[in-house]
Amino acid sequence: MKALLHVLAMVVAAGEATAQGAPQDDQCVRERAAMVETIRAYARSAGSGLGPQGLPERVLEAMAQTKRHLFIPERSCAIAYADSPVPIGLGQTISQPYIVALMTALAEVAPDHVVLEVGTGSGYQAAILAQLARKVCTIEIIPQLAETATKTLRDLAYDNVSVRLGDGYVGWPECGPFDAIIVTAALGHAPPALIEQLNVGGRLVMPVGAGYTTQQLTVVEKIAPGKTTTRAVALVRFVPFTRSQN
Ligand code: SAH
């Protein structure tokens, strides 16, 4: 009798947990799925630079699997799954999901790749890359953001991501060389050290132009040692790339 009561208590407890936890989770899952469909449709329309196939399915799948609401301060699904940038504090923003997907697709990240991100911010772009590549190295210049992103990525068990506090202008040679590089802050030129640390055949994707204005989302492909090709793909708006003072 005692054992039966114990089992019943467990069943009731499980029922309560479902009743409290499920509706919000269900809504988040629905909103995330809707976000993926929005960006899929958007990518097929004008100006994505991706051709008629639009975004690769594996990129969309990574977007569908990643809980963006856990990377923003409010942790709200209604905010997280609108296809918009969101402030993450200290004057920085997490990019619009479509732009995250577009940059990931343009970088042509493959499962055996080692990828560098400059501008960790919330850690969301790094989490997307972590599902598509073997290893992700990401650099953030603002200490509080580097700390929070490290914690978020650790709590969510993204074990193949390393976060470093520092100026990404000089790259991270010890973590590379890299098969793909994504820079998520705007600068007038591609940092030479990043091109140097990119493998031949690899792509660097970054907004080229001044911060807070409109920039050209640019793909630099390393076609031979010391030789690159560059193409501008879309107009974007990113926060500025800053340099360390020392
Ligand atoms: N990829 C982020 C969004 C980044 S916003 C995400 O998914 O949330 C751009 C980030 O670049 C900001 O956090 C900013 O602090 C950082 N940043 C700017 N200049 C930098 C530099 N020189 N090195 C490293 N990070 C830099």
Side-chain angles (χ1 to χ4, degrees):
M1 187 58 188
K2 212 173 169 192
L4 180 61
L5 276 178
H6 186 66
V7 170
L8 277 175
M10 275 172 53
V11 170
V12 170
E16 277 170 3
T18 312
Q20 283 165 6
Q24 211 231 343
D25 284 358
D26 282 358
Q27 198 181 338
C28 287
V29 169
R30 272 198 303 277
E31 283 169 348
R32 190 157 60 242
M35 176 196 82
V36 170
E37 290 319 306
T38 302
I39 61 180
R40 184 201 298 278
Y42 198 59
R44 288 208 182 110
S45 68
S48 72
L50 291 168
Q53 301 88 340
L55 291 164
E57 220 33 62
R58 60 192 296 271
V59 173
L60 290 166
E61 182 56 27
M63 302 292 292
Q65 293 302 324
T66 309
K67 294 179 173 164
R68 188 174 190 252
H69 64 285
L70 301 182
F71 291 84
I72 62 170
E74 299 83 359
R75 299 196 149 217
S76 147
C77 290
I79 296 171
Y81 301 117
D83 187 26
S84 311
V86 178
I88 52 171
L90 299 148
Q92 307 304 319
T93 52
I94 173 172
S95 307
Q96 177 189 355
Y98 168 68
I99 297 295
V100 173
L102 177 61
M103 291 178 84
T104 306
L106 292 169
E108 298 190 14
V109 178
D112 60 333
H113 279 181
V114 178
V115 182
L116 174 69
E117 180 195 24
V118 176
T120 314
S122 68
Y124 176 71
Q125 170 80 74
I128 298 289
L129 293 170
Q131 291 162 79
L132 298 167
R134 179 165 64 80
K135 178 170 113 172
V136 178
C137 311
T138 179
I139 311 174
E140 171 56 53
I141 202 164
I142 299 180
Q144 294 96 311
L145 292 179
E147 204 177 297
T148 306
T150 303
K151 184 174 181 320
T152 308
L153 291 162
R154 196 183 46 224
D155 289 352
L156 296 172
Y158 287 103
D159 297 332
N160 58 341
V161 182
S162 305
V163 182
R164 176 190 220 176
L165 173 64
D167 180 355
Y169 192 82
V170 295
W172 190 349
E174 308 78 33
C175 218
F178 304 104
D179 302 293
I181 300 179
I182 289 181
V183 179
T184 65
L187 187 65
H189 62 276
L194 300 189
I195 305 286
E196 184 57 40
Q197 291 163 35
L198 190 62
N199 281 329
V200 170
R203 290 170 176 76
L204 178 152
V205 180
M206 70 176 283
V208 175
Y212 302 123
T213 62
T214 304
Q215 306 103 26
Q216 289 282 0
L217 185 59
T218 302
V219 181
V220 179
E221 188 177 349
K222 186 161 174 180
I223 53 172
K227 205 164 175 212
T228 55
T229 59
T230 299
R231 73 189 164 104
V233 170
L235 289 175
V236 289
R237 191 177 280 252
F238 275 77
V239 295
F241 195 103
T242 54
R243 300 299 317 279
S244 55
Q245 302 304 306
N246 42 34

